[in-house]
Structure formats: structure tokens, C-alpha cells
Amino acid sequence: MMKPARTKPPRRALAKKPSNNGQKDPVGVYCRVRPLSPSDQECCIEVINETTVQLHPPDGCKVNKNGEYKETQYSFKQVFGTHHTQKDLFDVVAKLLVEDLIRGKNGLLFTYGVTGSGKTYTMTGSPGQGGLLPRCLHMIFNSIRDLQAKRYVFKTDDKNGIEVQNMVEALLDRQKRDAQPQIVPKTPLSRQKPEPEFADMINIEDGCKVEDIDEDSVYSVFVSYIEIYNNYIYDLLEEVPIDPIKPKWNTPGKNAEFIPPQSKILREDQNHNMYVAGCTEVEVKTTEEAFDVFWKGQKRRRIANTQLNRESSRSHSVFMLKLAQAPLDADGENVLQEKEQITVSQLSLVDLAGSERTNRTKAEGSRLREAGNINQSLMTLRTCIEALRENQMCGTNKMVPYRDSKLTHLFKNYFDGEGKVRMIVCVNPKADDHEESLQVMRFAEMTQEVEVARPVDKPICGLTPGRRYRNQAFKEELTRRLEERGGPVIGESEEQTAIELLFQSFPPIPSCELLDANDNQTLPQLIEALEKRRRIRQMMSEEFTKSVTSFRSMLQDFNGVVAAKENIAQGKVTEKERTIISQKSEIERLEKKVKTLEYKIDILEKTTSIYEGEKRNLQQDLESQQQKLQRQLSDKRRLEARLQGMASENAMKWEKECERRVAAKQLEMQNKLWVKDEKLKQLKAIVTDSKSERPERPSREKDREPKNVPPVHSRHRRSHSAGAERWVDHKPSGSVETEMIMQPHVPNSIKVSVASEKALSKCDKYMLTHQQLASDGEMETKIIKGDVYRTRGGGQSVQFTDVETLRQESPPGSSSRKRRSAELNQPQQVNNTDSEWTDVETRCSVAMEMKAGSNFGPGYQHHAIPKRRKP
């Protein structure tokens, strides 16, 4: 039994940027029609106006059953025909995205279409006709040219974030960069020249820039370039180390494709944005430098030659522009170090691989596998768009399968978060691509109905605007005033003041003028002054020498201390480097482990989805079973109520039956008592009276009056059917006609030989004629009477209530005494014989019931309950 998959712990809700009052904008979808190649003769796409295109089925393609051609029209935000230039497309589609990027808002622009429809040309361009990507780079650097921060002032971390470094840390990183090989050339920016391959692409004459840019902030641009190949993410800017043992990746004749050694994984940052972990991000300062990075990655991208496209992209490429900006401090010189003040915006330019049919490309081997993965990722993109459209239009909460593809998982935050999304549908008007173009148009039409949350403006830092230019103006004015004064700079004046103090410490030189040849005072005074100066100079020289010696010893001591500290620092650095190496190996091990765990998580998520489907099915089965049980319980309650009603009805019926049986039993006991009294009287008459005449039988009423017994009414042997009641006279076909005078006569009756439901339904009384031989050999006729009742099932039932007996006997004669004596000798037998049919239970021991729907008509159920005789 499999263990249930562990559920993820609830993620802590983070404070996200407030939305712009919940306003949303639809995805902007544009259409671009490439020119028809000279080899193609028939065109199936026609531009109707600036927003509408019409598709014509090619010759031989009958769409409707009646054989007529079916022409369909599709509307877009704007349609670009063959006469539109790259600049026209950029001004309408990408220019607003660049403006939003500089203002701190995210954007996504991707091209979609079949293979060979001009997607790569639209994104990259050609010599002399730069595409959307170089034009976006030119506009960005043309807008922030004088406002860029020095290199490494902004530094990326491993968690999709940006941090600000001080000037010392940035200087150390620049020195470290000069000592290591980099993707970007180390030539100064002023001396960089673009490569001839793409020089014409980025030479854009009609340069544009963003107006009203924040001049009190500094900016820095980071670029990264990845590709999604066979649903794996590879870094196109990653430098692969050269292994002398293993063959090189780009060795001619072995493998002409560049395959990085390890794919990258997707992760989610603290703001729930998806990013590629370990992806190379290069800081660039010019358009040439940024496009040079792109071109190096473009050379490593996988392309192949197919029957439909000579240079077909075999992967989805994503070029990401990340712009970091931070405000200056109050003096307008340094960048604020607070991380909360940093604004990071991103613009992703995606060149999707074209969908293709293998029966047209004749792909085999790796090309076939690549085509399958491309079509699968595009199908996942379509499924996600359909789910988003259904959730927004129908108000459902259907899960969007972003994780089914790396492409949709990477751009999940654009559709669920904030930002502008633009899609350019590239179509080829040739007739062979009609079916593929039709599917692309349907997808584009559906994408226009999806809405994305409108991005908000970046927060204001609260400092005084215009502080950068005020600081520059102050420095320029100070320099100008110093130049007007013509005085030295601050360092020269300080040096001059020190020399003047040194000369003032010497004694003054007396007057050297000789007016008389006999003057003996002037020269000795001059000699004495000069001698004093010499002594002072010598003393100062000695002091200076001592100072130099002491300072030299101090410097030597200081050098020793510095050398010792350097040795200690070098030891610590070596130890730190070992720690860093071990930590890097540990990080690599953990990254591999994370990749394995993420793969397992994907498997568990798929298993969980399967189990959830089974759970829903089981819940539906459980609900149906519960409904069935509820119906059974309700049926059971109704049946119980019905049975209770039948039980109460039967109880009342049996109560009446018991009362009737008690009355019959009382009558039977009275008859037995009368018989015993009669026998005693006959026996007494035989013993006391010798006469042969039989004494007269006294009446029953006279014998009972002395004993205070209530009179018993004589039982009427005639039928009670003289009224309006109708009878069923059931006389079997084997009955024998007797010669008795007293015969049953029922005037209003239905005579039948076999009881039937039809006859019983018309009458309410039943009479059965039964014949049998008595114990003395005489014929005895019994008439069994009963009442007819309707049953709950719609049938008829008969309840027997009375039995009448007709019997023939020989006249009284000589044999009567013997018979009487025999009866006296066997009083108990006579008693039992007489009481056998006087007992109501014995007489009515045969019951008959008519069942509705029976195949044999009325059915007979004989409930013969033999009477238990007394010993």
C-alpha cells in the first residue's frame, strides 16, 4: 500500500505591491504578415485594414459540405503588412514597454507563429534593419546615458535580488574583474567598436529616448540569455570549462551544436517571482556591449536545417533585460545604501520556436524529438491561456497548469502578477501553411480575451528633486571662481606658508652698505649674522637627520608590523578560500540534491493529481451510495408504516374474530350441555318406563329457564342472501344431485363450477357446496359460506364464516334402540362427532384467497388446522 503524499506546508503570505485599484489590461496581440517568397505562387492571407486579416482556403481545399469556400476574418490590436518597417513595429509594440521598464514596471514581449514565419527576424532583425531587441537596447542606453552608476555599484545576488555596494567594494570588484576573463571585453567604452557581423543592426539613426526620466537616480542594466531546449533550461552566456580529457563541444566533424554540460532549474524568490537559479547576469554600459553579449549567446543557440526553414530555431530563447535604479542621497553625490530604495524592473524578449508538422518537415531522430517538445510546450502555453480565460470570464477557480512546461512556469508571475504582456503573431501567407496559420489565428483570438493586472508606479523616495544638478552646478561655480582669482589651489598655498615660516625662524641679515673705507662694524656684523645662520642651519640639519633616522626606524617597525599582519591576513585568506571551495562543493551537492528533490516533487504532484481525481470519483460514488441508502431508508420507513397499518388492521380483525369465536364457543357449550341432559333423560326413561314410546323432547327454552341461562336463538339454516347481497354459488362439476326436499335456493347468485376473480369482484358473499360420505354411509352435503373482501394488492379474498349441513337418515324403527344404545355406550365419540362441526374453528378451517395477477385465476390456499382432541 502506497503512503499518502505529504502536503506542502502553508506558505507565509508576503506583502506584495498594491495593485492599481484592481485594474486590468488585456494582452496586446499584434499581427505581422511577412512577404510572400518568390517560389510561392498562391497567397492565403489578405490584410483587410489596420486591424483585420482574412484567410482564404487554397485551391482544392473545400471546407463546407456544400463545396463552397469558407473565408474567415480575425481582428487584432493592429496588423502590420509587408510595407511596414521594423521601426513602425517598434514604435507601436515595444516602445511603451521600454518606457515602463525605466519607470520600474515589468514587461513581456514574445513572438508566436509557425516555423519560417519571420519570428527571429522580427526580434533580431537583419543588417540595416535592426529588430525589436537592438532598438530596445538603443532606447534604454540613449535614455540613461549620463545617469548610469559606475560598474559594480549594483551587484546581483543568488536570489534574484540587487544590492548596492559602496565605492570601496565596487573598486575591489572592478580590480578583480580586470584580473579574470570575462564575457564582456575589457576595452574602455570609448574605444569599443562593434563587430562587423552586427554593426549595421545596432546602427540606428533615428534614436529615441524616454522623456521625464528621474534624473536624481542612478541606473544600471543587467542582461541574461537563456534557451529552453527539450523542456530543459540552458544558460547561453555560461563559459564552459575546457576539459583536456573529454572532447570539446564544438569540435568540427563531431558535434556542431553547443550543448552546455548542465541545465538550470527554476526557483521562486521572496516576492513569488520565478527566476533561473545560477544564470549568468552581465552588467553592460552601452548598446554595443549589450548586443555583443547577445550575439555571443546567439551563436550558441540551437538551430537546424529543415525542409521548411533553412535556419529553424530548435529552442525557445529568452533575452532578459533587468534595470536596477536607486535614488541619490540628499547631497546628490552618493547612492542610498538602503535596499528598500532599490527598484528592479525586467523586460523579457522571447523568441518562441515555431510549431511544425513532422509529415511536412520529414524530421527524424533528434529533430523529431525537438519538434515534439516544441509542440508540447506550445500546447501547454495554449492550455494555460485557455484556463486563464475560463477563470476570468466564467468566474471559476480552475487550476492553471504552469508547471507542465518550463516555458509557462518561467512566465507565471507575468500572468498571475503585474506587468504588460504583448504578443506578435507572425504568419506566412503561403498556401501550404494555411492549416497551421488557422490554428495560430484561433490561439491569438483567444489570447486577446485574457487580462493582466496593471502595474503600479514606483514609490517616491521623499528627497528634494533636482539635487544632482544642483551639486554639479555648485562644483562648476567653485571651480570658475578659483580660476577667476588666479590664485593657487589649496595644496600650493599650504606648501608656501610652511616655507615662509621656515625662513622667518632665521635671524635677519643686517645692512651690507659700506659708506666708509674705515668702517669696521658692517662686515663683522654681517659675518656674525651669517655665522648664526650657518649654526642654525647646521642644528636644523642635525635635527632633520635625527628626525629622518627616527622616522626611518618607525617606518621599518611599521613595515614589520604590516608584513606580519599581511602574513596573518594571507593565512586567513587562504583559510577562507579553502572554506569557500568546500562551501562551493557543498553548494553544488545541495543544488544537485535540490534538482533531484524537485524532480521527485513533480512526480509527487502528478501522483497527487491522479489521487485527487480518484478521490473525486470515490466521493461521487460515495454520494450516490448515500443517496441510494437514503432512498432505501425512506422506502423502509414507508414499508414499516404500511406494515404497522396492516398490523393494526389485522389486530382489529382478530379481536372481532375472537369475540365471534367466544360467542360460538358459548353456543357450542350450551348445545353440549343440552345433549347431555337429553341423554340423561332418555336413559332415565328407559330404566323407569317400560313403555316402548320415546318420551317427547322437551323444548330447549324450558330446560334452560330454571337454570337462569339466557335463551339461545335458533340458528337459521336458510340463506341470508334474500336481500340485495349477491352470491357466488360455487358448485364443483363433480357434485351429485340429491333427492332431498330441502335444497339451498339463492335467487340473486352467480353459479360457477370454478371460482374466478371476475365473479368474486361482482359479489360480496361466497357459497361452496361440498359433498362427502358420512360415517354411516349416507350422503352428506355441506354448504360453506363466507364474505368476500378486497385485498391491498387489488385482488379478492374470502373469509369463511358459517357451515350448513344437509343429511339424509333412515326413519326411526327397531334399529333405533340399538343405535341409541350404541350411542350411550360411546358417549365420548358422539360428543366428539357432534362437536366436530359445531366448532366454528373446525368448520372454517379451509380458507380461499384470490390473488391479483395470478396465471391460474383465483388461487386456493388451504389452511387446514387440525383440532387437537382431548385424550
Side-chain angles (χ1 to χ4, degrees):
M1 183 176 179
M2 296 181 63
K3 295 182 179 179
R6 293 185 302 172
T7 58
K8 292 183 179 180
R11 185 167 55 185
R12 180 172 60 90
L14 297 175
K16 302 189 74 174
K17 294 186 295 183
S19 61
N20 194 0
N21 297 328
Q23 297 180 357
K24 292 185 177 182
D25 294 325
V27 176
V29 182
Y30 303 85
C31 179
R32 187 177 195 184
V33 183
R34 65 163 291 176
L36 193 67
S37 60
S39 59
D40 298 322
Q41 300 296 331
E42 187 178 0
C43 179
C44 66
I45 297 178
E46 179 185 358
V47 179
I48 303 299
N49 51 39
E50 293 183 354
T51 60
T52 308
V53 295
Q54 184 173 350
L55 267 71
H56 305 279
D59 294 340
C61 179
K62 305 294 183 181
V63 179
N64 293 338
K65 293 182 179 180
N66 55 7
E68 296 179 356
Y69 293 103
K70 182 179 180 181
E71 298 178 349
T72 54
Q73 292 186 357
Y74 296 94
S75 298
F76 298 89
K77 198 167 184 179
Q78 188 166 342
V79 177
F80 298 91
T82 57
H83 60 280
H84 288 89
T85 62
Q86 298 275 49
K87 182 180 182 302
D88 298 336
L89 184 66
F90 172 78
D91 291 341
V92 176
V93 180
K95 188 175 181 180
L96 294 177
L97 295 178
V98 176
E99 292 179 356
D100 289 343
L101 176 71
I102 296 179
R103 291 186 175 91
K105 302 174 184 179
N106 298 330
L108 171 64
L109 173 62
F110 62 96
T111 56
Y112 182 84
V114 300
T115 180
S117 58
K119 300 182 297 300
T120 304
Y121 170 78
T122 300
M123 188 61 67
T124 306
S126 62
Q129 288 290 330
L132 298 180
L133 191 147
R135 291 180 182 273
C136 290
L137 293 175
H138 185 269
M139 183 175 179
I140 291 172
F141 288 106
N142 194 30
S143 302
I144 63 172
R145 184 186 306 276
D146 300 330
L147 305 178
Q148 295 188 68
K150 292 184 178 181
R151 200 180 297 271
Y152 295 112
V153 172
F154 292 97
K155 186 177 181 181
T156 60
D157 55 13
D158 296 334
K159 299 178 181 179
N160 199 32
I162 299 289
E163 58 184 10
V164 180
Q165 298 188 123
N166 54 34
M167 301 303 294
V168 177
E169 293 174 343
L171 179 61
L172 292 176
D173 287 341
R174 285 195 292 271
Q175 293 176 355
K176 189 184 297 183
R177 169 182 173 272
D178 294 337
Q180 294 178 357
Q182 296 288 329
I183 296 176
V184 182
K186 302 176 185 178
T187 309
L189 300 180
S190 60
R191 299 179 184 178
Q192 289 183 10
K193 292 183 179 180
E195 295 186 8
E197 294 179 273
F198 57 85
D200 293 338
M201 294 185 186
I202 60 176
N203 188 13
I204 301 172
E205 298 178 357
D206 48 354
C208 55
K209 60 184 299 184
V210 179
E211 303 294 338
D212 299 332
I213 191 172
D214 186 7
E215 298 175 347
D216 294 322
S217 298
V218 291
Y219 302 85
S220 186
V221 180
F222 297 86
V223 296
S224 58
Y225 197 18
I226 63 170
E227 71 170 352
I228 302 175
Y229 176 73
N230 288 340
N231 207 25
Y232 289 96
I233 300 177
Y234 297 98
D235 186 4
L236 296 178
L237 303 181
E238 183 179 13
E239 293 292 341
V240 181
I242 300 176
D243 193 345
I245 299 176
K246 298 181 181 179
K248 295 183 180 180
W249 295 101
N250 290 330
T251 302
K254 293 185 179 180
N255 189 0
E257 297 179 351
F258 177 79
I259 304 177
Q262 187 177 1
S263 62
K264 303 299 180 180
I265 59 176
L266 289 176
R267 288 183 179 173
E268 191 175 16
D269 61 7
Q270 60 181 357
N271 295 324
H272 306 318
N273 296 324
M274 304 305 302
Y275 70 98
V276 181
C279 179
T280 303
E281 292 184 333
V282 182
E283 185 178 6
V284 291
K285 296 299 180 182
T286 61
T287 305
E288 293 79 6
E289 185 180 357
F291 200 81
D292 183 46
V293 174
F294 164 76
W295 197 253
K296 288 184 178 180
Q298 186 73 4
K299 291 180 180 179
R300 300 173 182 175
R301 187 184 176 188
R302 293 171 175 83
I303 59 174
N305 184 13
T306 63
Q307 291 191 3
L308 300 181
N309 191 359
R310 186 168 56 87
E311 294 182 356
S312 175
S313 301
R314 312 311 296 169
S315 63
H316 309 297
S317 66
V318 182
F319 188 74
M320 289 176 283
L321 293 165
K322 185 181 291 185
L323 180 65
Q325 51 184 306
L328 296 173
D329 57 6
D331 296 333
E333 287 192 36
N334 300 320
V335 184
L336 291 177
Q337 300 292 322
E338 290 81 0
K339 195 170 184 179
E340 295 78 9
Q341 299 293 337
I342 303 174
T343 302
V344 180
S345 55
Q346 180 172 312
L347 174 61
S348 299
L349 304 176
V350 186
D351 182 13
L352 296 178
S355 59
E356 59 187 34
R357 293 189 177 182
T358 55
N359 57 356
R360 295 185 58 198
T361 58
K362 307 299 180 183
E364 296 179 355
S366 61
R367 299 285 88 80
L368 181 62
R369 180 166 174 260
E370 292 166 358
N373 285 289
I374 289 171
N375 294 335
Q376 181 63 33
S377 61
L378 294 178
M379 183 60 66
T380 304
L381 176 62
R382 181 166 186 166
T383 304
C384 294
I385 294 295
E386 288 178 353
L388 284 171
R389 173 176 170 270
E390 182 179 352
N391 291 341
Q392 293 177 2
M393 297 186 67
C394 303
T396 59
N397 195 17
K398 185 178 180 181
M399 184 186 71
V400 183
Y402 291 115
R403 290 180 174 268
D404 291 352
S405 173
K406 292 292 192 300
L407 177 66
T408 54
H409 196 192
L410 177 61
F411 299 114
K412 168 181 175 294
N413 52 288
Y414 283 100
F415 293 100
D416 286 349
E418 298 175 349
K420 287 186 178 181
V421 181
R422 297 286 184 268
M423 181 176 74
I424 301 176
V425 177
C426 300
V427 291
N428 193 341
K430 66 179 181 178
D432 295 338
D433 291 345
H434 175 264
E435 295 184 4
E436 290 86 347
S437 300
L438 193 63
Q439 298 296 329
V440 170
M441 293 295 182
R442 291 173 181 172
F443 172 70
E445 188 177 32
M446 177 182 59
T447 306
Q448 295 182 90
E449 299 177 357
V450 176
E451 294 182 345
V452 181
R454 183 179 299 176
V456 298
D457 297 330
K458 67 177 183 179
I460 301 175
C461 64
L463 298 176
T464 305
R467 53 191 178 277
R468 176 198 288 267
Y469 289 109
R470 282 201 301 270
N471 187 27
Q472 292 180 359
F474 173 74
K475 289 182 179 179
E476 291 176 357
E477 181 67 19
L478 182 61
T479 304
R480 186 183 62 80
R481 289 187 179 183
L482 289 175
E483 290 177 354
E484 289 178 353
R485 290 173 57 186
V489 295
I490 299 175
E492 294 178 355
S493 62
E494 290 179 353
E495 183 178 359
Q496 184 178 7
T497 304
I499 294 173
E500 291 178 354
L501 292 175
L502 179 62
F503 279 106
Q504 289 178 3
S505 63
F506 288 99
I509 298 176
S511 176
C512 299
E513 185 179 2
L514 294 175
L515 299 177
D516 190 5
N518 297 322
D519 189 359
N520 297 324
Q521 295 181 354
T522 302
L523 290 176
Q525 291 178 355
L526 179 60
I527 293 171
E528 184 178 1
L530 293 176
E531 188 66 25
K532 287 182 180 179
R533 282 177 173 263
R534 185 186 68 80
R535 286 197 298 269
I536 291 172
R537 181 178 179 184
Q538 185 177 2
M539 290 175 58
M540 292 179 65
S541 176
E542 291 177 355
E543 290 179 359
F544 180 75
T545 304
K546 292 179 182 179
S547 300
V548 169
T549 304
S550 63
F551 184 71
R552 183 178 289 109
S553 62
M554 289 175 61
L555 284 177
Q556 290 176 355
D557 295 339
F558 182 75
N559 287 334
V561 174
V562 169
K565 290 184 178 181
E566 284 181 354
N567 293 332
I568 295 173
Q570 187 67 27
K572 291 182 179 180
V573 168
T574 305
E575 184 179 357
K576 293 292 184 182
E577 288 179 352
R578 294 198 201 97
T579 305
I580 290 171
I581 292 172
S582 62
Q583 289 179 353
K584 284 184 178 180
S585 61
E586 181 68 16
I587 289 172
E588 291 177 357
R589 186 185 66 81
L590 292 175
E591 286 180 350
K592 293 180 180 178
K593 187 176 180 181
V594 167
K595 186 176 180 181
T596 305
L597 292 176
E598 287 183 349
Y599 177 72
K600 291 181 179 180
I601 288 172
D602 293 336
I603 295 175
L604 291 176
E605 286 180 350
K606 293 180 181 178
T607 307
T608 304
S609 62
I610 294 173
Y611 285 162
E612 286 179 351
E614 294 179 355
K615 180 182 177 182
R616 287 193 293 270
N617 296 332
L618 292 176
Q619 286 180 350
Q620 292 176 0
D621 295 340
L622 180 61
E623 290 176 357
S624 62
Q625 293 294 335
Q626 288 179 351
Q627 293 176 0
K628 186 176 180 181
L629 287 176
Q630 291 293 338
R631 289 194 298 268
Q632 290 179 356
L633 288 175
S634 61
D635 294 341
K636 185 178 178 181
R637 294 192 191 98
R638 287 195 296 269
L639 183 59
E640 288 178 354
R642 181 179 176 184
L643 291 176
Q644 288 178 0
M646 293 176 65
S648 61
E649 184 178 353
N650 289 334
M652 294 174 64
K653 188 184 295 183
W654 280 108
E655 185 177 354
K656 294 179 180 179
E657 182 67 20
C658 289
E659 293 176 355
R660 188 182 60 80
R661 289 187 181 184
V662 169
K665 195 68 175 178
Q666 290 178 356
L667 182 60
E668 181 185 357
M669 296 302 293
Q670 291 174 2
N671 291 335
K672 287 182 182 180
L673 186 59
W674 179 82
V675 171
K676 288 182 181 180
D677 292 341
E678 186 68 24
K679 289 180 180 179
L680 289 176
K681 289 179 181 180
Q682 290 177 2
L683 182 60
K684 184 176 180 182
I686 293 171
V687 174
T688 58
D689 193 3
S690 59
K691 294 181 181 181
S692 60
E693 291 84 10
R694 185 176 179 181
E696 295 182 359
R697 180 176 178 180
S699 62
R700 188 180 300 176
E701 290 80 359
K702 293 179 179 179
D703 294 337
R704 290 301 179 189
E705 285 177 1
K707 297 181 181 179
N708 296 326
V709 178
V712 180
H713 299 283
S714 60
R715 190 178 185 88
H716 297 282
R717 294 299 180 183
R718 298 293 295 173
S719 174
H720 298 283
S721 61
E725 297 177 343
R726 299 192 65 183
W727 287 77
V728 175
D729 189 0
H730 182 191
K731 187 175 292 185
S733 59
S735 301
V736 179
E737 294 294 336
T738 61
E739 298 178 355
M740 292 185 295
I741 298 174
M742 300 181 65
Q743 293 286 345
H745 176 67
V746 182
N748 190 13
S749 64
I750 300 175
K751 294 183 179 182
V752 295
S753 59
V754 177
S756 64
E757 183 180 0
K758 183 176 181 182
L760 289 174
S761 62
K762 296 180 180 179
C763 303
D764 48 6
K765 294 292 183 177
Y766 176 79
M767 180 176 65
L768 173 63
T769 302
H770 176 66
Q771 292 180 342
Q772 65 179 7
L773 292 176
S775 58
D776 55 357
E778 298 293 340
M779 179 65 70
E780 185 179 44
T781 302
K782 294 182 180 179
I783 299 174
I784 305 171
K785 299 184 293 183
D787 296 332
V788 180
Y789 295 97
R790 294 183 181 272
T791 61
R792 289 181 178 270
Q796 310 293 332
S797 65
V798 178
Q799 182 177 358
F800 296 107
T801 58
D802 198 3
V803 178
E804 295 183 3
T805 305
L806 300 177
R807 183 176 179 181
Q808 290 180 341
E809 294 182 356
S810 299
S814 57
S815 59
S816 61
R817 267 182 209 279
K818 297 179 180 179
R819 189 175 293 130
R820 289 194 190 98
S821 62
E823 290 175 357
L824 291 174
N825 293 331
Q826 299 177 356
Q828 187 174 358
Q829 184 177 357
V830 174
N831 185 16
N832 291 338
T833 303
D834 295 336
S835 64
E836 184 175 0
W837 280 98
T838 58
D839 187 3
V840 179
E841 182 179 359
T842 304
R843 292 179 311 188
C844 301
S845 61
V846 180
M848 180 176 67
E849 181 179 356
M850 182 74 64
K851 292 184 178 179
S854 175
N855 295 330
F856 302 100
Y860 295 91
Q861 293 184 356
H862 299 279
H863 306 283
I865 304 174
K867 184 177 180 181
R868 185 177 180 182
R869 297 184 178 180
K870 297 181 181 180

